[in-house]
Amino acid sequence: MNNENLSREEAAERSALISVDSYDVHVDLTNAKDPEFESYPTATTVRFSCNTPGAETFIDYIHHSIDSIKLNGVELKLDEVVDGARIRLANLKAENVLTIHGRSYYSRSGEGLHRYFDPSDGRVYLYTQYEPSDCRRVFPNFEQPDLKAVFNFRITAPKDWVVSSNAVLESQVTDPSDDSISKRVFAPTAKISTYITAILAGEYFTATTTYKPKSKVNSGDIPLVAYCRQSLKPHFDYDHIFKVTENGLDFFQDLFDYPYPYPKYEQAFVPEYNIGAMENPGLVTFTEDYIFVSGATEDDLEGRTNTICHEMAHMWFGDLVTMKWWDDLWLKESFADFMGTLGAKEANHFEDAWVTFANNRKAWAYMQDQLPTTHPIVADIPHLEAAAQNFDGITYAKGASV
Ligand SMILES: [Zn+2]
């Protein structure tokens, strides 16, 4: 699709025109176990307001196919409004209801809803990864960080699967025609950006505990969950992960003087992950390289602790408060890179954490700074393709060093 590259100007125009109240998103993973199925059905209802009735905008959806689009009760003609990755929405009212039924692709590239079949036991695992703009590969949305909304996720999937999302599970309804399938209904999320929404589904191994805060500032007890695929369970040292998580929550709640803002803290270690980790509120995803199958060195544990603390700092800086556009990506990443190391040292007693920072992260920044591709920490990001290029040693490590 040739119009995937949203520009900063287009995003600014869109957020000047509309504000989004909520998304109701139903994702149907009934057939995800079957590799013959390359796509899955989605149904999305968006409620949004427009300050200039009669105006026009567009919603983003990188889709397999679209079955129907209804705007304010009127069925739109698909060949008139669907243009590649965008759907044109004309003649807006002050308050709008948009419903789109379509199908989205299972991803094999780690962008969108990634599906993995474990060659060791045939089990299937799915998870989402969106930053900066791959949420639109799963369901239609206004894909830019400053158009935050409440998300109501409903996921239909095999009943014996683990299914999770940002918010807590509210109820589970068995399919009346097939008792092996159920629909999980999740509570409304806080008001968040599209790129940090998340879905996890599959035959994951699950470990749980409850965090009981020792910090002065806190939001009470928080359920903690850690996930990995079944075949890695013998190597999954979740006790250490929980300990670091509890230490981090105690440390950051007092340091930021603001209670942890979400109702649970889950961490999933997932296969074929393109990056280190992602700060989805309430459901952080990590590369499963952080599960150490031949035992962990001190350096391994320090590195994982740093990443756990980095993602945790984002719950406040990145998730609760978010940059308007991607040129301010450094605001959250330089800060989280610094906080990852601070959390490893101060909360988890890795006494050499700043030595590691100087030798690894800062050296990475020096190296990137000598390349022709170097840029100011506050980068010029005119469009999404530039944003995707900017997750680098300048935005993270140079910013943290400064
Ligand atoms: Zn980060």
Side-chain angles (χ1 to χ4, degrees), residues 211-222 249-250 253:
Y211 159 69
K212 294 183 178 300
K214 295 192 204 75
S215 53
K216 276 199 223 67
V217 177
N218 67 74
S219 53
D221 292 1
I222 298 166
L249 285 168
D250 280 339
Q253 292 192 101

Side-chain angles (χ1 to χ4, degrees), residues 248-309:
L249 285 168
D250 280 339
F251 179 64
F252 287 129
Q253 292 192 101
D254 274 345
L255 182 68
F256 300 154
D257 194 21
Y258 195 102
Y260 173 69
Y262 305 106
K264 64 183 174 72
Y265 203 86
E266 302 189 355
Q267 297 175 101
F269 294 79
V270 298
E272 296 186 323
Y273 203 42
N274 285 332
I275 57 171
M278 182 66 210
E279 68 264 24
N280 314 305
L283 178 54
V284 181
T285 36
F286 295 84
T287 169
E288 64 177 24
D289 292 348
Y290 282 128
I291 299 173
F292 307 111
V293 294
S294 56
T297 64
E298 190 73 357
D299 183 60
D300 290 335
L301 294 174
E302 185 189 311
R304 185 175 68 189
T305 298
N306 186 309
T307 304
I308 289 173
C309 291

Side-chain angles (χ1 to χ4, degrees), residues 297-369:
T297 64
E298 190 73 357
D299 183 60
D300 290 335
L301 294 174
E302 185 189 311
R304 185 175 68 189
T305 298
N306 186 309
T307 304
I308 289 173
C309 291
H310 175 124
E311 304 310 327
M312 193 179 285
H314 277 314
M315 297 296 131
W316 289 263
F317 295 91
D319 294 354
L320 181 63
V321 291
T322 310
M323 69 269 154
K324 261 187 174 343
W325 180 248
W326 298 102
D327 23 21
D328 279 330
L329 177 65
W330 70 281
L331 274 175
K332 73 177 178 79
E333 292 307 345
S334 298
F335 185 83
D337 220 50
F338 181 90
M339 284 299 159
T341 306
L342 192 70
K345 165 78 166 71
E346 301 299 328
N348 290 287
H349 309 294
F350 286 96
E351 299 302 331
D352 294 333
W354 287 112
V355 179
T356 309
F357 178 88
N359 281 301
N360 291 354
R361 305 299 284 188
K362 200 170 179 183
W364 180 37
Y366 279 132
M367 196 192 70
Q368 291 230 327
D369 223 1

Side-chain angles (χ1 to χ4, degrees), residues 66-133:
I66 295 177
D67 301 321
S68 67
I69 304 169
K70 199 182 258 188
L71 177 61
N72 299 324
V74 178
E75 198 87 37
L76 304 186
K77 291 202 175 70
L78 300 184
D79 56 347
E80 287 176 7
V81 297
V82 178
D83 174 21
R86 298 180 179 189
I87 299 167
R88 201 159 63 82
L89 305 172
N91 199 18
L92 294 177
K93 297 186 171 165
E95 300 296 332
N96 300 276
V97 181
L98 170 70
T99 298
I100 299 175
H101 287 86
R103 296 187 72 93
S104 307
Y105 282 105
Y106 292 111
S107 172
R108 286 297 302 144
S109 66
E111 305 153 293
L113 179 65
H114 188 78
R115 180 172 59 169
Y116 173 81
F117 293 96
D118 190 335
S120 71
D121 57 12
R123 293 178 194 268
V124 58
Y125 299 95
L126 299 102
Y127 60 88
T128 55
Q129 169 59 34
Y130 296 153
E131 191 176 27
S133 57

